[in-house]
Amino acid sequence: MAHSFDLIVIGSGMGSLTASALLAKLGTKIAILEQNYLPGGCTSSYWRKGFTFESGATTLVGLDRQMPLEYVLAQTGIQLDVRKLPLPMQVHLKNGKIINRYQFLDQWIAEAERVFGKKGQAEFWRKCYSISQFVWDTSIKQRNFPPANFSDLMDAVKNATLSQVVNARYSLVRTSDFIKKHGLHENVDFMEFIDEQLLITAQNTQQEVNLLFGATALCYTNYNNYYVDGGLINLVTPFIDYIKKLDGELHLRTEVQQIEKTESGYLVKTNKGVFQSKMILSGIPINNLLKIYPPAISKYQSKIMDSPKLNSAFQMGIGFKSNKDFDSIHHQIHLRKPLAGVGAKSIFLSLSHPEDTTRSDVPGMKVASISTHVPNPQNNIIDTKIAENAVINILEDSGFLAKEDIVYQHSSSPKSWEKWTGRAFGFVGGYPQYFSIKPWQMIESRVDGQGMYQCGDTSYPGQGIPGTTLSGIIAVEKMMKDNRIMNNLK
């Protein structure tokens, strides 16, 4: 006999958990189905050989006023135990200079001028920051975006402001053209800096990222950045606890194999049996959803991105002995030559917080998470041994660790990511930004117009914890607007 619910949620990433928490508050009977043995998807942590490693994301933003995570916490009362980072990131350039990515704008502009010269920096960064503020403020106010029908469009118009009309034009401007406008395109160090920074948050470079998303991506260090003791699993757990408290269910190691539409709703067939629901919210990539729900293929045929347009990651986790203090726990290191075995031009390093004693069962240990982009993951074979040795040499040369102090190390290739997350090709970070795809053309929440919705990093607005959280908020807004939840609960 099938287990029956109001809503089945597929996957337990931040988009899914956001929507589940907001809907559980309304009294919706929810079951979250997660194929892994831990919740959180690419925002989680796991224990191995005495250390807690992050399973994907390592940076946490989105708690400032009018930002998505702050909105959800205010709506639900969920509380997070976080540490604010005084210096969000340091960037190590190929020429040996180190850039401090200060949060406060004036301080950051002075730092950018110190490293790149004064020409154009202040005007460029002030405008980028202004655009980023507009994006976050508008995103929460326009919760029916992107519009998919006349009603959505009318709501967008009703909620529109002069600022939205004026700033929307930046979606039609390439970030590279904006850089050229400020006379910065001949500054080689600056151009490389911008491209590698955009890869972290937009999954693409300045030629492809429109200014609306590009400015927001470049300014994420100008907002409060946080660290969660014990790893990002402790961002996920309060959401799970809240949902369970409201009679929601989490089913781990439950892989969805097929979804069938019925007269009364949906049948969800899994390796643990059959679930029945009136509605479905998919938090998995659209590539994966189409394999288990083929009726949606016709709608998304032109919007699906395959491996050549996607990125996976080569990632390392290292547990090591260290008494050294660092000015920041997040570092991007630009490489003098492409990373051996991978070909990337930079690596991203996140260290455990010096005051967090929960990441290892032995005192005096630090945990390092290292990642870098792997384009076209289906067709890109990584030599993990060569890559591991190259990364360790870079970290040693940069003064982060000594080889003899390493206690444990392991690495993950795109194939490992595919096995861990279940995501097609092992791609991570969502759909990259492409200039040919405008924000209103991105994949929206409604899948079949009958009761299936989606969220996550392949739907609008895309990447990162703030992006996926916003996708969950928008999915709930459109469910409520379609009157399905409230009508089904009467």
Side-chain angles (χ1 to χ4, degrees):
M1 184 175 177
H3 308 278
S4 184
F5 299 88
D6 295 321
L7 175 70
I8 286 175
V9 179
I10 305 172
S12 61
M14 281 305 298
S16 295
L17 294 179
T18 292
S20 296
L22 293 172
L23 291 170
K25 182 185 177 185
L26 298 175
T28 313
K29 187 179 179 183
I30 295 171
I32 303 172
L33 310 183
E34 168 58 55
Q35 59 92 26
N36 213 327
Y37 71 96
L38 289 169
C42 292
T43 306
S44 191
S45 315
Y46 58 95
W47 184 261
R48 182 177 290 181
K49 302 295 183 181
F51 298 94
T52 298
F53 296 103
E54 302 288 25
S55 63
T58 58
T59 59
L60 177 59
V61 293
L63 287 167
D64 294 70
R65 187 185 68 84
Q66 291 288 72
M67 292 181 80
L69 197 50
E70 186 271 341
Y71 172 87
V72 179
L73 299 185
Q75 292 293 312
T76 61
I78 294 172
Q79 307 228 331
L80 301 177
D81 188 7
V82 297
R83 296 181 187 270
K84 185 178 180 299
L85 299 179
L87 179 59
M89 185 196 304
Q90 287 186 318
V91 181
H92 305 247
L93 299 182
K94 290 190 296 186
N95 61 16
K97 291 183 179 180
I98 297 176
I99 308 173
N100 295 304
R101 290 234 58 184
Y102 295 115
Q103 176 183 343
F104 299 109
L105 186 60
D106 288 342
Q107 191 179 14
W108 162 239
I109 289 172
E111 178 74 351
E113 290 178 338
R114 178 186 72 83
V115 175
F116 300 118
K118 289 194 173 184
K119 180 182 177 181
Q121 292 294 325
E123 185 181 356
F124 175 84
W125 288 108
R126 290 193 192 284
K127 189 60 181 179
C128 281
Y129 184 64
S130 173
I131 293 171
S132 74
Q133 288 183 306
F134 158 77
V135 167
W136 291 123
D137 181 65
T138 301
S139 295
I140 290 297
K141 292 177 179 176
Q142 290 282 10
R143 296 196 295 272
N144 283 290
F145 198 87
N149 54 38
F150 182 75
S151 178
D152 284 352
L153 183 59
M154 287 299 97
D155 280 343
V157 171
K158 181 177 66 176
N159 294 321
T161 63
L162 179 60
S163 173
Q164 291 174 20
V165 174
V166 170
N167 284 281
R169 73 184 191 275
Y170 293 121
S171 64
L172 304 176
V173 177
R174 294 181 190 269
T175 301
S176 56
D177 290 338
F178 187 68
I179 290 171
K180 188 173 183 178
K181 177 184 175 182
H182 287 81
L184 296 168
H185 58 293
E186 294 179 349
N187 189 329
V188 175
D189 289 341
F190 180 76
M191 295 287 277
E192 291 180 350
F193 167 80
I194 292 294
D195 276 343
E196 296 306 309
Q197 288 280 281
L198 285 174
L199 278 170
I200 295 175
T201 44
Q203 298 288 311
N204 220 326
T205 55
Q206 58 185 281
Q207 285 287 340
E208 289 291 351
V209 181
N210 72 64
L211 183 58
L212 207 61
F213 282 85
T216 308
L218 289 171
C219 288
Y220 89 93
T221 50
N222 297 118
Y223 295 85
N224 288 310
N225 280 240
Y226 297 93
Y227 174 89
V228 183
D229 280 16
L232 285 176
I233 186 68
N234 291 325
L235 167 64
V236 169
T237 301
F239 279 79
I240 297 293
D241 291 344
Y242 178 83
I243 294 161
K244 286 184 175 179
K245 184 179 178 181
L246 296 175
D247 297 323
E249 298 181 10
L250 170 65
H251 297 259
L252 298 173
R253 299 183 188 272
T254 305
E255 182 179 359
V256 176
Q257 299 167 335
Q258 187 180 6
I259 302 171
E260 292 182 4
K261 184 74 182 74
T262 67
E263 288 186 6
S264 58
Y266 299 87
L267 282 180
V268 181
K269 299 179 181 179
T270 78
N271 61 320
K272 295 286 185 70
V274 179
F275 293 77
Q276 186 173 2
S277 68
K278 299 170 184 174
M279 302 175 64
I280 287 180
L281 174 65
S282 170
I284 61 177
I286 188 66
N287 303 63
N288 292 72
L289 177 61
L290 298 188
K291 292 180 180 178
I292 57 177
Y293 190 63
I297 288 177
S298 59
K299 178 177 179 180
Y300 295 108
Q301 195 76 48
S302 63
K303 293 191 174 185
I304 291 297
M305 292 187 193
D306 288 324
S307 181
K309 284 193 168 184
L310 301 172
N311 294 305
S312 185
F314 171 77
Q315 186 182 48
M316 282 189 71
I318 301 175
F320 64 105
K321 294 180 284 187
S322 175
N323 294 317
K324 187 174 181 179
D325 291 327
F326 301 96
D327 293 332
S328 177
I329 64 170
H330 297 307
H331 301 262
Q332 187 183 50
I333 304 173
H334 292 204
L335 308 179
R336 292 184 177 88
K337 58 182 180 180
L339 183 65
V342 178
K345 296 179 180 179
S346 69
I347 62 173
F348 189 75
L349 164 70
S350 290
L351 300 166
S352 53
H353 195 281
E355 296 178 21
D356 181 5
T357 61
T358 65
R359 296 283 296 272
S360 171
D361 55 11
V362 177
M365 295 288 182
K366 278 189 169 63
V367 176
S369 297
I370 304 98
S371 62
T372 193
H373 287 79
V374 177
N376 192 4
Q378 187 179 35
N379 302 304
N380 202 332
I381 307 301
I382 303 301
D383 190 320
T384 55
K385 290 299 180 185
I386 290 177
E388 282 186 22
N389 289 333
V391 167
I392 291 171
N393 287 334
I394 291 165
L395 296 181
E396 188 169 50
D397 291 343
S398 302
F400 288 103
L401 54 76
K403 291 176 184 176
E404 59 267 24
D405 291 331
I406 296 176
V407 176
Y408 174 73
Q409 68 181 64
H410 70 288
S411 65
S412 305
S413 66
K415 289 294 183 185
S416 307
W417 279 103
E418 186 171 12
K419 183 178 180 181
W420 172 262
T421 64
R423 296 166 67 101
F425 321 121
F427 83 92
V428 295
Y431 276 6
Q433 296 293 326
Y434 284 97
F435 190 72
S436 61
I437 303 172
K438 303 301 182 276
W440 56 87
Q441 296 172 320
M442 296 176 72
I443 294 173
E444 68 110 15
S445 301
R446 299 180 186 91
V447 174
D448 61 3
Q450 301 180 69
M452 182 180 288
Y453 297 79
Q454 65 184 325
C455 60
D457 60 14
T458 57
S459 58
Y460 175 86
Q463 305 83 2
I465 292 174
T468 52
T469 300
L470 180 58
S471 76
I473 294 169
I474 291 172
V476 171
E477 190 75 16
K478 292 193 175 184
M479 286 182 184
M480 296 296 297
K481 181 178 178 180
D482 294 345
N483 289 316
R484 296 187 181 277
I485 291 291
M486 298 310 296
N487 287 341
N488 288 335
L489 291 177
K490 285 180 180 178

